[in-house]
């Protein structure tokens, strides 16, 4: 009986957590100030197609999709999470300089189309499908072609 009760509680908690998620469109001026500054600096001429907030009980993230298909994601306070430029290249200045230097030396003339950062590492995707992962000290820790 206890196992059945625990299973019921787990299922109830899981279903409640799923419904507690809120994903809704917002205006660009409702983004955190850091995110707004980032967009003005790196994507000044691109028109925003959609900005949205994804709220859950424990976290909040923002996503901005531009008319040309580029996408930028931010964490709760506007810190960069990901830049995905499927049809162009990630603007200069977003990728940290040590990674840019590595790419110039080892993959010259191949543009970065996706850049993602978290607390432990940086992920870089190049046109043509090469994916590289760097640790926080900018050492290459994974290479996938």
């Amino acid at each position: 009986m206890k196992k059945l009760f625990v299973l019921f509680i787990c299922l109830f908690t899981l279903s409640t957590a799923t419904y507690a998620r809120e994903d809704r469109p917002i205006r660009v001026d409702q983004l955190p100030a850091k995110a707004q500054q980032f967009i003005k600096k790196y994507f000044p001429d691109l028109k925003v197609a959609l900005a949205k907030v994804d709220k859950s009980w424990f976290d909040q993230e923002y996503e901005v999709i531009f008319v040309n298909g580029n996408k930028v994601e931010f964490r709760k306070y506007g810190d960069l999470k990901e830049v995905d430029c499927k049809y162009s290249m990630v603007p200069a200045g977003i990728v940290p300089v040590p990674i840019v230097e590595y790419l110039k030396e080892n993959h010259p003339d191949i543009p970065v189309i996706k850049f993602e950062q978290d607390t432990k590492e940086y992920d870089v995707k190049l046109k043509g499908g090469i994916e590289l992962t760097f640790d926080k000290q900018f050492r290459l820790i994974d290479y996938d072609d």
Side-chain angles (χ1 to χ4, degrees):
M1 186 67 173
K2 278 186 178 181
K3 288 181 182 179
L4 185 59
F5 181 72
V6 170
L7 178 63
F8 175 75
I9 295 297
C10 289
L11 288 173
F12 177 76
T13 304
L14 182 61
S15 67
T16 304
T18 302
Y19 290 111
R21 203 171 175 89
E22 180 186 356
D23 188 11
R24 64 180 172 85
I26 60 172
R27 296 184 320 269
V28 174
D29 63 359
Q30 293 175 303
L31 292 168
K34 275 176 106 172
Q36 291 180 46
Q37 292 168 355
F38 183 90
I39 291 169
K40 286 177 186 173
K41 181 176 181 178
Y42 294 109
F43 299 96
D45 300 326
L46 291 184
K47 184 175 179 183
V48 174
L50 173 69
K52 64 182 183 175
V53 61
D54 185 11
K55 291 182 181 180
S56 64
W57 279 350
F58 305 109
D59 200 13
Q60 181 170 307
E61 293 184 351
Y62 298 90
E63 184 175 344
V64 177
I65 302 170
F66 298 97
V67 173
N68 72 349
N70 290 354
K71 179 178 79 168
V72 183
E73 294 181 21
F74 300 97
R75 291 186 177 76
K76 185 176 187 174
Y77 299 109
D79 296 315
L80 178 65
K81 179 179 178 185
E82 178 182 315
V83 177
D84 190 354
C85 299
K86 296 175 185 168
Y87 308 108
S88 60
M89 59 188 276
V90 172
I94 294 176
V95 179
V97 173
I99 295 175
V100 171
E101 290 173 356
Y102 174 89
L103 295 174
K104 281 182 183 178
E105 185 177 318
N106 296 285
H107 300 281
D109 304 322
I110 303 176
V112 174
I113 59 170
K114 185 174 182 181
F115 176 72
E116 186 174 353
Q117 63 184 24
D118 62 27
T119 57
K120 296 181 183 176
E121 60 193 28
Y122 301 99
D123 293 315
V124 177
K125 184 174 182 179
L126 305 179
K127 188 173 184 176
I130 297 172
E131 295 181 28
L132 303 109
T133 303
F134 297 85
D135 64 13
K136 284 297 180 179
Q137 288 73 40
F138 306 110
R139 294 180 297 226
L140 183 66
I141 57 173
D142 193 23
Y143 183 94
D144 186 15
D145 59 354

